[in-house]
């Protein structure tokens, strides 16, 4: 079953995005995952965007070791590489360094 949808998942992860998102919600969800009989924590970086038509979409899901502003910087830069040029409002929690990651992404024009 998984093999049948892998290509669809990969296509979804690299699809072009809208140029403008009035609002982005960014956060990480933490899960305990068992891998080779070892339980470890993983973070799923989730970005939900509201487009100019007011529609809410999950625009990105990425898995990382733990939540960090450095990883968020990479996630936000990947959005730029997929076509996002402007975001009016980013809603985020108080993760240390997230403001700097957002600013650094915006400055790289």
């Amino acid at each position: 079953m998984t093999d049948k949808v892998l290509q669809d998942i990969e296509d979804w992860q690299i699809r072009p995005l809208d140029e403008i998102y009035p609002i982005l919600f960014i956060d990480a969800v933490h899960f305990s995952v068992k891998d080779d009989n070892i339980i470890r924590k993983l973070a799923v970086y989730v970005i939900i965007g509201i487009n100019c038509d007011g529609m809410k979409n999950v625009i990105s899901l990425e898995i990382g070791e733990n939540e960090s502003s450095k990883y968020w910087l990479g996630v936000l830069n990947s959005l730029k590489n997929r076509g996002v040029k402007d975001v009016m409002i980013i809603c985020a929690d108080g993760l240390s360094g997230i403001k700097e990651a957002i600013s650094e992404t915006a400055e790289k024009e």
Side-chain angles (χ1 to χ4, degrees):
M1 173 86 166
T2 305
D3 292 340
K4 292 183 179 185
V5 296
L6 277 178
Q7 187 60 50
D8 290 337
I9 292 169
E10 289 175 14
D11 292 345
W12 181 85
Q13 288 176 322
I14 62 169
R15 76 194 184 289
L17 297 173
D18 293 348
E19 288 188 6
I20 299 171
Y21 284 91
I23 303 172
L24 289 183
F25 298 91
I26 66 173
D27 203 0
V29 181
H30 302 272
F31 294 96
S32 295
V33 178
K34 189 173 185 179
D35 185 23
D36 291 330
N37 291 324
I38 298 171
I39 296 177
R40 59 189 180 122
K41 291 264 190 192
L42 291 178
V44 178
Y45 292 77
V46 181
I47 300 179
I48 297 172
I50 297 179
N51 67 17
C52 292
D53 295 326
M55 298 296 297
K56 189 186 316 180
N57 296 297
V58 175
I59 61 173
S60 180
L61 293 170
E62 291 194 30
I63 297 173
E65 289 297 318
N66 54 30
E67 187 175 17
S68 71
S69 57
K70 184 178 180 180
Y71 198 93
W72 271 116
L73 177 61
V75 172
L76 294 171
N77 278 322
S78 73
L79 295 183
K80 286 179 74 170
N81 293 336
R82 292 170 55 199
V84 177
K85 293 183 178 175
D86 196 10
V87 175
M88 309 305 174
I89 299 169
I90 296 180
C91 299
D93 59 15
L95 177 69
S96 177
I98 193 68
K99 289 180 185 177
E100 292 80 6
I102 293 167
S103 294
E104 190 173 331
T105 305
E107 291 171 1
K108 293 181 179 178
E109 294 295 328

